[in-house]
Amino acid sequence: MLRTFILVALRSFKKNKLSTSINAVGLILGFSTFVMLASFVYNEVSYDRWHEKSDRIYRFTTIDEALGVSSNEVAITNPRMPQAAEEEIPEVEIASRMMFAGEQRMEKGEIGYYSEYALYVENDFFEIFDLPVRNKDETLDKFNQPHKLILTDAYAEKVFGDEESIGQILTINDQSWEVVGLMDDITQNSHLGFDALMSLYPAQSDSSLAQYINGWGGLGMLGYAVLSEGANELQVEGKMAEIALANDVNDFWIPQLQPLEEIHLGSAGLLFDYYHQNKGDQVYVFTLSGVAIFILLIAAFNFVNLTTAQSTTRAKEVGIRKVVGSSKALLIGQHMIESILMATMAMIISLFLVSTLTANDSLGLSFDLLTLMSNTPILLVGFLLLGFVIGALAGVYPSFILSSIKSVNILRGKFQTSSKGIWLRKTLVVLQFVAAIGMICTTLIVSKQIDYIKNKHLGFDKDQVININVGSPGLAEGMENFKESLDSYSDIISTGYSNNMPGSTFGRGGVNVEDGNQDEPWIVSVMSMDENYIDVMGMELVAGRNYDPGFGADQQESIIINEAMMESLGWDEAVGKNLVFGNNTTRKVIGVIKDFHFSSMRHKIEPLMIFYNPGPNSNLVLKVNPSNMRETLDFLEAEWNVTFPNYPFDYQFFDQEFNQIFASDEQFAMLVNAFTALSIILSSLGLFGLSFFMVEQRKKEIGVRKVLGSSVRQIVQLLMREFVILIILANVIAWPIAFYFLKGWISDFQYRIDLWGIDNLAIYLFAGIGALLVAMIAVSYKSIRAALSNPVNSLRDE
């Protein structure tokens, strides 16, 4: 019986080529999009869940409510807090500290190799996370000492090639570090990315480090803890706050815990999260989840609509089957099998297409569907089950309705002129256009916001700026000679030093205002620069003067602040005012720099102090002539290799580096744009197919109207009016829904467009008119053709 059903279904597909093609294309596009986005979302929410204790692992964070801080969630804690929590709070089973080492030059003989992401960790780190360390017990026995290393396979191969790496000595900052262990490269999704782990056990010569990690001063330590089964997170945070206050930690630093499984997607607003690799955004994931569901619903609605519409054209076939003895069960089974077969085949084709597209990450979604499904077979089962369910749902209505109508009524054609089925098709048309119009509004507003933050004046010039990493201690001796050679090159306009660059995380420091409340310090962002940096970056002083080597006291006695700090302190004039630092030294404000964005647009520009450091610093910044860029780079590399032959030439174009802070926003906008276009195509495809069946049902009515004198225009208006009303209704429903969502999304940006602006409100009207035009175009072809046809043909057809 099943074989007969399938053969009849295939015969029906072949006979009804148009409806079969529309259904197949719509389902494949919709399913492919859903599979792609659903897999992306699953990949994003799966971060860090592969650790055995993942549901009990927490990261130490802090809410910083100090004066001067607006972005107050930070991913760091007091150095002593993790260890104290383990010792004093029963619910904390184990805790471990970690420090970000970042890019580390590790020398093997005279050759240096850069570790891109190095971390200082303690042995307990390996008890919290299930890391693939080989010979774990033996390795950790050796690692529990100063100056020990564990390398990933990839980095060990980079440094040692085929040599045995265990026991080898690498030089880091003129100190000898021994490789005591290796670990497999981590292939699972993790917010922790590293290629080298360095033991966080100070040697006797590292007294300053030992003093720091055992003290309560400041924020700067990273830490993780495992809580006991059933532990209350809020109660543990309360006990941590009591411990902090008992150790004279400032009461404006409130200790917090962040669940491990929320770190990847829940840290978009956290600062000092610089070691967090491939940071996601839960707002974007939720949005793309909604987009995936919308696309799936549009495809499913189209399929249901076209299936129910097509079923009316097969009513006589059903009637004849019933007359010759087909049971209700057989009729239902035939319709269900056809629908399920179509949907399941479309899902299989979609899985093949998405697997091909994601195999080489050509879409930038950072997952491979085949790998994802092989690691999680339930995904494959879920997708196939989804195709089956949608097919079944699409077949339920027509199969049960048609099979329940009396044969005599079907053969008289009464079903075609009844209202059964019409309400469902109208509802589905409205719903799919609600989704499409909402997505059009979202796309236009998101694109406008992204353009706004990218084109907003940043307070500095990021173009034609090259940033060279010169932070390695081994570079200090020859740096001034290297800089002098650059200053003499005609296509290098200017050079300067700084310890940080906009777009990177700036450190924070405490300061008091002279004659202010000395018990309530301000915590503000800090950076250092030389006297040339402002000119190189195209920044502007709005008051006072720049640092000047001619003023010998500038390095010890002067400070430059930004406008935000002046406003926060309530000063009308800042130049000449004094700031008091923790060592009871006083610095005079000599200049006020115009506010510039040193963080993303999600964060308000915070108060900033800029110290004077005229010597070599972490960054050597060059303003260059763009017309001879290739020659300039060749010159830079040649000079570098002469001056620093044992160090690789490490540089970045600053505009590309800075634009990375917009990368996730741009990817989100790109995905929404692409899938909005797809939703419009799917909706139009559905209307196109639906109009064919609508006209076929009303062709005798059209013939009669033409005979009675109706014009082509009147007939086209009659056929299109029903769809126009439905699209207008969809607009009325979609606009407030889209506005509500966008209001929540855009509130995450401190610098944003005004959603209530006339030009932005006009976007909703534009989206509605656009959807209406698309719908009219989709319906017009068949409507105009029907209006122009010879009425004789339709009136004599039986």
Side-chain angles (χ1 to χ4, degrees):
M1 184 62 67
L2 180 61
R3 180 176 179 274
T4 302
F5 283 161
I6 293 175
L7 288 175
V8 172
L10 293 175
R11 235 180 271 130
S12 175
F13 295 160
K14 184 177 180 180
K15 179 181 177 181
N16 301 288
K17 292 185 178 65
L18 178 63
S19 61
T20 300
S21 299
I22 292 175
N23 271 335
V25 171
L27 283 176
I28 290 170
L29 287 176
F31 284 168
S32 296
T33 302
F34 178 80
V35 167
M36 190 179 301
L37 289 179
S39 299
F40 171 76
V41 169
Y42 179 83
N43 186 64
E44 289 292 290
V45 301
S46 68
Y47 269 70
D48 295 308
R49 295 176 186 268
W50 49 278
H51 299 286
E52 182 182 352
K53 306 168 188 171
S54 65
D55 60 332
R56 297 191 289 127
I57 299 175
Y58 292 79
R59 176 169 70 168
F60 290 92
T61 62
T62 305
I63 294 178
D64 188 349
E65 294 187 341
L67 290 172
V69 174
S70 58
S71 303
N72 59 2
E73 293 182 89
V74 295
I76 48 179
T77 187
N78 304 108
R80 175 71 180 165
M81 176 57 75
Q83 191 173 7
E86 180 181 352
E87 294 171 354
E88 302 182 36
I89 302 176
E91 295 92 332
V92 178
E93 288 185 359
I94 189 170
S96 182
R97 294 172 295 185
M98 185 174 80
M99 288 176 59
F100 180 64
E103 187 178 72
Q104 287 287 329
R105 177 179 167 82
M106 301 186 183
E107 298 175 1
K108 177 192 173 189
E110 295 184 356
I111 303 176
Y113 300 89
Y114 279 99
S115 164
E116 191 171 358
Y117 297 108
L119 301 175
Y120 290 98
V121 299
E122 300 173 313
N123 266 25
D124 288 343
F125 180 78
F126 301 94
E127 299 303 317
I128 295 175
F129 299 103
D130 300 321
L131 301 176
V133 178
R134 294 203 284 275
N135 302 318
K136 185 175 180 180
D137 292 339
E138 179 183 347
T139 297
L140 295 187
D141 284 342
K142 297 177 182 178
F143 189 74
N144 192 16
Q145 302 174 50
H147 297 173
K148 304 300 180 184
L149 289 168
I150 296 175
L151 308 180
T152 62
D153 281 340
Y155 187 64
E157 183 178 354
K158 175 183 175 181
V159 177
F160 300 106
D162 295 333
E163 293 182 53
E164 173 61 43
S165 54
I166 303 295
Q168 294 270 20
I169 301 297
L170 295 176
T171 302
I172 306 175
N173 296 331
D174 296 326
Q175 295 178 325
S176 296
W177 288 71
E178 180 187 3
V179 178
V180 297
L182 296 174
M183 63 181 290
D184 299 335
D185 298 321
I186 296 176
T187 57
Q188 298 99 323
N189 287 338
S190 175
H191 79 287
L192 289 172
F194 52 84
D195 47 16
L197 297 175
M198 308 169 67
S199 61
L200 185 56
Y201 296 100
Q204 291 184 351
S205 57
D206 299 328
S207 57
S208 58
L209 175 61
Q211 183 178 1
Y212 171 73
I213 66 175
N214 291 306
W216 288 94
L219 299 175
M221 186 62 69
L222 311 168
Y224 295 86
V226 177
L227 302 190
S228 58
E229 295 282 357
N232 186 300
E233 174 188 341
L234 295 178
Q235 290 180 357
V236 175
E237 288 175 346
K239 293 178 181 180
M240 288 164 55
E242 292 174 3
I243 293 172
L245 291 175
N247 287 278
D248 299 323
V249 174
N250 295 316
D251 58 3
F252 50 70
W253 285 337
I254 303 171
Q256 298 285 290
L257 292 172
Q258 182 184 28
L260 174 69
E261 295 176 355
E262 297 178 9
I263 290 177
H264 175 65
L265 294 178
S267 303
L270 265 69
L271 292 179
F272 302 100
D273 197 13
Y274 28 71
Y275 69 102
H276 183 170
Q277 301 301 304
N278 304 315
K279 184 184 292 192
D281 190 324
Q282 60 186 3
V283 174
Y284 289 169
V285 169
F286 291 154
T287 303
L288 292 176
S289 300
V291 170
I293 293 171
F294 283 157
I295 295 287
L296 180 66
L297 289 177
I298 290 172
F301 291 167
N302 275 346
F303 186 43
V304 172
N305 251 344
L306 295 177
T307 301
T308 55
Q310 184 187 4
S311 66
T312 63
T313 66
R314 300 177 63 184
K316 288 185 179 180
E317 173 194 335
V318 173
I320 292 172
R321 285 176 178 270
K322 295 187 74 172
V323 167
V324 298
S326 286
S327 67
K328 184 174 182 178
L330 287 175
L331 291 172
I332 291 173
Q334 181 63 59
H335 280 283
M336 292 290 286
I337 289 297
E338 287 184 17
S339 183
I340 291 171
L341 184 62
M342 171 70 75
T344 305
M345 289 172 61
M347 179 60 79
I348 292 171
I349 294 172
S350 299
L351 290 172
F352 173 77
L353 289 175
V354 176
S355 298
T356 303
L357 288 172
T358 58
N360 57 2
D361 196 25
S362 58
L363 299 177
L365 295 178
S366 302
F367 73 90
D368 177 2
L369 181 60
L370 281 179
T371 302
L372 202 61
M373 290 192 300
S374 63
N375 291 335
T376 316
I378 192 66
L379 272 181
L380 175 61
V381 175
F383 288 139
L384 292 176
L385 184 61
L386 178 65
F388 179 89
V389 169
I390 287 179
L393 291 175
V396 162
Y397 183 84
S399 61
F400 276 88
I401 293 298
L402 280 174
S403 62
S404 64
I405 301 296
K406 292 181 179 179
S407 303
V408 64
N409 291 335
I410 295 177
L411 294 174
R412 288 175 179 174
K414 288 187 176 181
F415 177 76
Q416 293 190 16
T417 57
S418 72
S419 60
K420 288 187 177 182
I422 295 177
W423 68 269
L424 176 62
R425 293 199 293 276
K426 287 183 177 181
T427 301
L428 295 182
V429 167
V430 171
L431 289 177
Q432 68 178 266
F433 269 90
V434 166
I437 293 165
M439 289 178 64
I440 294 172
C441 296
T442 299
T443 295
L444 295 175
I445 294 293
V446 166
S447 296
K448 198 166 183 181
Q449 171 65 18
I450 300 302
D451 288 340
Y452 172 78
I453 62 176
K454 287 196 69 177
N455 296 319
K456 185 180 185 298
H457 183 58
L458 299 169
F460 57 84
D461 183 6
K462 65 183 187 326
D463 298 321
Q464 285 80 57
V465 174
I466 295 176
N467 177 30
I468 304 177
N469 179 5
V470 296
S472 178
L475 300 174
E477 185 176 346
M479 188 51 59
E480 281 305 305
N481 290 335
F482 176 68
K483 184 175 180 296
E484 286 177 10
S485 67
L486 304 189
D487 289 334
S488 64
Y489 189 69
S490 59
D491 285 322
I492 296 178
I493 300 170
S494 55
T495 63
Y497 289 118
S498 75
N499 77 322
N500 217 327
M501 295 291 287
S504 302
T505 303
F506 280 23
R508 286 175 175 169
V511 66
N512 290 89
V513 182
E514 192 175 49
D515 301 326
N517 183 357
Q518 301 302 308
D519 294 327
E520 197 170 8
W522 288 71
I523 304 296
V524 300
S525 297
V526 296
M527 69 170 292
S528 65
M529 67 178 188
D530 71 356
E531 67 278 7
N532 302 311
Y533 184 75
I534 289 178
D535 180 55
V536 174
M537 296 298 296
M539 296 174 176
E540 180 184 347
L541 284 171
V542 296
R545 65 174 177 86
N546 189 10
Y547 289 121
D548 188 338
F551 290 83
D554 270 2
Q555 190 168 3
Q556 303 298 328
E557 300 177 3
S558 302
I559 195 76
I560 291 176
I561 65 174
N562 67 348
E563 291 176 299
M565 184 165 182
M566 182 177 74
E567 293 167 5
S568 296
L569 294 173
W571 290 346
D572 295 325
E573 298 288 341
V575 176
K577 297 289 181 66
N578 291 321
L579 296 174
V580 181
F581 293 82
N583 52 4
N584 291 322
T585 61
T586 300
R587 288 178 179 262
K588 186 181 295 295
V589 177
I590 63 167
V592 178
I593 196 167
K594 186 177 181 63
D595 280 343
F596 62 91
H597 289 276
F598 53 88
S599 187
S600 77
M601 297 293 175
R602 295 175 184 272
H603 300 108
K604 184 179 179 182
I605 296 177
E606 293 191 339
L608 172 69
M609 298 185 299
I610 304 175
F611 292 86
Y612 183 38
N613 186 353
N617 219 315
S618 301
N619 302 283
L620 176 59
V621 189
L622 321 175
K623 184 75 170 181
V624 300
N625 183 349
S627 60
N628 296 311
M629 186 64 72
R630 185 65 264 167
E631 293 85 347
T632 301
L633 289 175
D634 289 342
F635 168 79
L636 286 172
E637 187 169 11
E639 289 296 312
W640 180 274
N641 290 335
V642 169
T643 311
F644 309 109
N646 295 326
Y647 290 80
F649 181 47
D650 183 15
Y651 75 95
Q652 296 85 33
F653 288 105
F654 176 63
D655 58 343
Q656 297 176 5
E657 188 178 14
F658 184 80
N659 285 341
Q660 287 302 307
I661 67 175
F662 304 120
S664 62
D665 299 315
E666 289 183 316
Q667 185 191 42
F668 172 70
M670 178 195 71
L671 291 174
V672 172
N673 288 347
F675 295 126
T676 295
L678 185 59
S679 72
I680 296 171
I681 292 171
L682 285 173
S683 299
S684 303
L685 192 65
L687 282 185
F688 180 75
L690 202 56
S691 67
F692 267 72
F693 294 110
M694 178 193 72
V695 171
E696 285 297 316
Q697 284 188 330
R698 301 179 68 175
K699 63 182 179 181
K700 284 188 172 61
E701 175 192 345
I702 294 168
V704 171
R705 288 181 179 274
K706 289 196 71 175
V707 168
L708 295 177
S710 293
S711 66
V712 171
R713 181 176 61 83
Q714 289 173 326
I715 292 175
V716 171
Q717 287 177 345
L718 174 70
L719 294 173
M720 297 185 69
R721 181 173 58 193
E722 179 180 338
F723 289 104
V724 170
I725 292 172
L726 295 178
I727 304 305
I728 291 174
L729 176 61
N731 274 287
V732 173
I733 298 172
W735 287 345
I737 295 174
F739 186 87
Y740 177 79
F741 163 75
L742 287 165
K743 184 179 179 183
W745 174 75
I746 208 168
S747 65
D748 199 33
F749 294 85
Q750 290 292 326
Y751 301 90
R752 54 184 181 259
I753 59 175
D754 179 13
L755 285 181
W756 288 103
I758 297 298
D759 56 335
N760 294 321
L761 290 176
I763 285 175
Y764 296 87
L765 183 60
F766 173 81
I769 294 173
L772 186 59
L773 289 174
V774 168
M776 290 174 68
I777 292 171
V779 176
S780 62
Y781 170 74
K782 188 63 176 177
S783 300
I784 294 172
R785 188 175 178 183
L788 293 173
S789 65
N790 189 339
V792 174
N793 295 330
S794 60
L795 291 175
R796 73 183 180 189
D797 179 41
E798 281 296 336

